[in-house]
Amino acid sequence: MKYKTSLVLLSGCLLATPLYAEEKPASSDSDTASSYVIDLYVDTKTKQIYAEPGEGRVRMGSFEKVSEKPAKPVATSSPDGAVADGKAKGEGGVLLRDVPKSVEKSQEKPQGGFGYANWKEKDPFKFNLNPDGSQYIKFGFLNQVWARYEQTNPSSTVLGESVDDVTDISLRRTRFVLQGQLTDRVYFYTQYGMNNFNFLSQNADNRKLQSFFHDAFGELRLTQGHQMIVGGGLVMANGLSRFSSPSVSTIMTMDVPLLAQATADRTDQFNRKLSVYLRGQIGPLNYRITASDPFPINTAGLPPETISPVNAQFARTGHRKQYQGFFMWNFWDKEPMTNPYMQGTYLGKKSILNLEAGFITQKNATWTGLTEATAQFHDLNLWSVAAYLDAPVDKVKETAISAYIGYFNTNYGPNYLRMNGNGVNPASTGGNAFPMFGTGNQWYGQIGYLLPKDLLGGNNGQLMPYFSFISADFDRLHDQMNVFNGGINWLIKGHNSKLTFDIQNRPIFNSAGYKISNRNQFVLQYQIAF
């Protein structure tokens, strides 16, 4: 009789190893009430099996040590049902497939807990168009609710009343998504919704804001694999950084570093532009080249700024195309190529180490001058380099680390500076803005650690504390501009259901460009996403 080597090794572990502390009495419906259930672990490198956890070992499951008396045969659909100790079926031992019902129950995940879900399908919101699921239509939804306490900037008002701080409840993002892989080479993506809605939000004195299409684009895969994909439409296929095209539902920090969305709501629509692009993955190289038709600053919905002889602003005459590029070298796993969005964190499901570089350029994008008729035009030239790490630390405890560090060189024209806040403004005037975009040099970094899964008990999710910073040396400011964020995620069911508490400390500058104080923001966010 022939036996598989790995099964003989497993038998040796079961019969020769002393029972570890994880041994548990078998359930009462076991064939042998005096038997034991033992947890086994396999080393991912050596493939050896152990009776206790350790570095590099992944839990296989729970197995029952069965008495030597003949076991009742159990029907199996597998033609090669294996026996652990080399005995034939019915001769005792531990069967890897034909396990007793008591062991099957011990392997089931315990019900209950905040993250427990009894979905019949792995993704119940995906509808397959072919048997293997490679062609499909998928529905999605995102809702981020904020409860916030904000220390407002000097001279802030709310409905005509001077305020030093504000509390509010808001919707940061509410989106519906419809996407699909219609054929092996045809993909589409649409996203509809609204952003930044609180008690002050209105459009022409009407609180019923209009939602709009954030994305509407299609892609055609030119090669059998993902080497060349051409796409076009209203899309966020941007250059500069991975955070210029972020998947906001999977980010580690409470909000994205908007500094990487360099023209947000100035010459784009919430970071989307009408674009055509070519992207792909060739070996370890992930690339993206985009030509965009930027929106004119005249349609940004803001009062026109008076042209300045010394401080650049986006030009209101003329129109030029914008060109972007993004290049990323994957040292370990490759990232998904489903669409141009970049994942925030994989929560230990992948081992990612990347180096990246990107750029955005546009001719005659800004101007300075005494009058518009005598304006001098300036090119927009932005580039960055960065490193990104997102990988498991301990596969048994399911811990992971995520980190990013990036340098941004941003030239909008002489002395360009734009104040902006993360999220909805809590005040009618003033609010939470700080110098976010400008000509100069910026650094952005973030780091977080996914704590052990058993810390909160079964099906109650995981905790992930994080820290991030922005440090900018803008030409128009005399002092360094530093913003710090720290917080913790309660990943109740991964990114599908998570609670985030975030604290932000931001600087206050006077009109002369000197830092005069700091302000804080405290936000509790609950996200539902699928």
Side-chain angles (χ1 to χ4, degrees):
M1 185 178 296
K2 298 181 180 180
Y3 309 107
K4 295 183 180 179
T5 305
S6 60
L7 301 180
V8 174
L9 289 175
L10 176 58
S11 171
C13 289
L14 291 176
L15 300 178
T17 0
L19 295 178
Y20 180 57
E22 292 294 320
E23 292 174 344
K24 299 174 277 289
S27 55
S28 58
D29 62 348
S30 172
D31 291 337
T32 55
S34 60
S35 59
Y36 284 86
V37 172
I38 184 172
D39 290 336
L40 296 181
Y41 304 83
V42 60
D43 190 294
T44 55
K45 292 183 178 179
T46 66
K47 308 304 180 184
Q48 295 185 14
I49 299 172
Y50 298 86
E52 58 185 72
E55 183 178 357
R57 301 176 188 176
V58 179
R59 183 175 175 272
M60 298 172 57
S62 299
F63 298 88
E64 184 172 346
K65 182 179 178 184
V66 184
S67 66
E68 293 299 317
K69 72 177 184 179
K72 297 178 181 179
V74 182
T76 176
S77 59
S78 173
D80 58 346
V83 184
D85 66 352
K87 298 180 180 180
K89 289 184 181 180
E91 295 183 2
V94 178
L95 307 183
L96 295 184
R97 292 182 176 88
D98 301 346
V99 293
K101 291 183 178 180
S102 59
V103 179
E104 291 177 358
K105 289 183 179 180
S106 68
Q107 291 176 326
E108 293 178 356
K109 293 183 179 180
Q111 296 186 8
F114 290 99
Y116 176 72
N118 190 24
W119 292 349
K120 293 182 180 179
E121 302 291 339
K122 183 178 180 180
D123 188 347
F125 311 106
K126 177 184 174 186
F127 300 89
N128 294 333
L129 303 179
N130 63 348
D132 65 3
S134 61
Q135 298 170 15
Y136 60 88
I137 291 178
K138 177 174 167 54
F139 295 90
F141 175 72
L142 169 67
N143 197 53
Q144 295 173 336
V145 182
W146 280 18
R148 173 176 55 182
Y149 169 73
E150 179 86 39
Q151 295 177 342
T152 54
N153 294 348
S155 304
S156 294
T157 64
V158 174
L159 300 177
E161 180 183 26
S162 297
V163 294
D164 294 322
D165 52 28
V166 172
T167 58
D168 68 339
I169 300 169
S170 61
L171 297 178
R172 177 66 175 101
R173 297 177 180 92
T174 301
R175 314 270 182 82
F176 290 93
V177 173
L178 176 63
Q179 61 178 309
Q181 189 76 42
L182 300 183
T183 74
D184 286 344
R185 300 199 180 192
V186 175
Y187 172 82
F188 78 93
Y189 185 94
T190 59
Q191 184 173 195
Y192 186 83
M194 67 176 187
N195 312 285
N196 300 335
F197 182 77
N198 74 346
F199 73 101
L200 287 171
S201 300
Q202 53 85 27
N203 182 14
D205 299 322
N206 188 339
R207 70 175 64 96
K208 298 180 179 68
L209 293 181
Q210 289 184 345
S211 298
F212 59 93
F213 274 100
H214 288 66
D215 301 89
F217 64 89
E219 292 187 340
L220 178 63
R221 192 185 304 169
L222 301 180
T223 56
Q224 191 68 31
H226 294 98
Q227 294 88 350
M228 295 180 67
I229 302 171
V230 63
L234 182 62
V235 60
M236 193 160 53
N238 297 325
L240 194 60
S241 164
R242 71 181 296 114
F243 290 111
S244 301
S245 303
S247 167
V248 292
S249 63
T250 64
I251 55 178
M252 177 182 66
T253 54
M254 185 195 64
D255 215 333
V256 291
L258 290 180
L259 67 96
Q261 301 178 17
T263 60
D265 271 343
R266 281 300 188 264
T267 60
D268 57 43
Q269 180 171 286
F270 219 75
N271 203 37
R272 281 82 172 173
K273 299 181 179 75
L274 296 167
S275 305
V276 292
Y277 59 91
L278 178 69
R279 69 184 185 96
Q281 181 85 41
I282 301 176
L285 175 65
N286 183 301
Y287 71 93
R288 178 184 307 171
I289 301 171
T290 305
S292 302
D293 206 8
F295 296 101
I297 187 68
N298 310 50
T299 62
L302 299 170
E305 295 175 310
T306 303
I307 191 170
S308 166
V310 293
N311 300 324
Q313 300 161 354
F314 279 99
R316 295 185 179 275
T317 61
H319 184 71
R320 300 291 188 277
K321 298 297 185 287
Q322 187 178 98
Y323 301 98
Q324 308 180 66
F326 180 73
F327 307 91
M328 182 171 64
W329 191 269
N330 310 130
F331 288 94
W332 298 340
D333 292 347
K334 297 179 179 67
E335 300 198 52
M337 293 292 294
T338 306
N339 54 48
Y341 282 108
M342 304 298 296
Q343 187 95 352
T345 176
Y346 293 93
L347 304 179
K349 302 300 187 295
K350 279 184 171 290
S351 295
I352 305 294
L353 177 62
N354 297 337
L355 290 180
E356 68 176 50
F359 72 89
I360 301 176
T361 184
Q362 182 182 342
K363 190 174 180 60
N364 293 353
T366 61
W367 64 7
T368 56
L370 294 174
T371 66
E372 295 183 8
T374 60
Q376 180 181 357
F377 291 88
H378 309 280
D379 297 343
L380 172 75
N381 288 304
L382 317 173
W383 60 271
S384 78
V385 292
Y388 172 68
L389 169 70
D390 195 276
V393 175
D394 188 321
K395 292 186 177 181
V396 174
K397 297 181 179 179
E398 299 187 30
T399 57
I401 189 170
S402 183
Y404 175 93
I405 184 70
Y407 167 76
F408 296 77
N409 184 283
T410 51
N411 185 358
Y412 294 83
N415 297 315
Y416 177 87
L417 188 69
R418 175 187 167 193
M419 302 285 289
N420 195 62
N422 275 83
V424 57
N425 196 330
S428 303
T429 62
N432 61 359
F434 59 87
M436 184 178 290
F437 308 97
T439 295
N441 304 285
Q442 297 187 70
W443 287 89
Y444 174 75
Q446 65 177 38
I447 187 168
Y449 189 79
L450 185 64
L451 299 179
K453 189 172 184 177
D454 59 2
L455 188 65
L456 299 178
N459 293 326
N460 286 318
Q462 288 177 268
L463 298 178
M464 188 173 196
Y466 64 83
F467 171 79
S468 70
F469 74 91
I470 303 170
S471 184
D473 179 17
F474 292 131
D475 293 354
R476 197 161 151 188
L477 299 180
H478 294 284
D479 296 322
Q480 193 81 3
M481 200 288 303
N482 296 311
V483 178
F484 302 100
N485 283 73
I488 187 168
N489 292 298
W490 177 18
L491 299 151
I492 301 171
K493 184 174 175 55
H495 292 297
N496 298 119
S497 172
K498 70 178 179 181
L499 194 68
T500 304
F501 178 68
D502 183 89
I503 302 174
Q504 181 189 83
N505 180 267
R506 70 184 189 279
I508 305 297
F509 287 82
N510 61 20
S511 58
Y514 291 96
K515 178 186 167 184
I516 57 175
S517 64
N518 287 79
R519 294 287 190 275
N520 296 314
Q521 170 183 273
F522 303 85
V523 177
L524 184 66
Q525 172 186 274
Y526 179 59
Q527 169 179 297
I528 293 178
F530 61 80

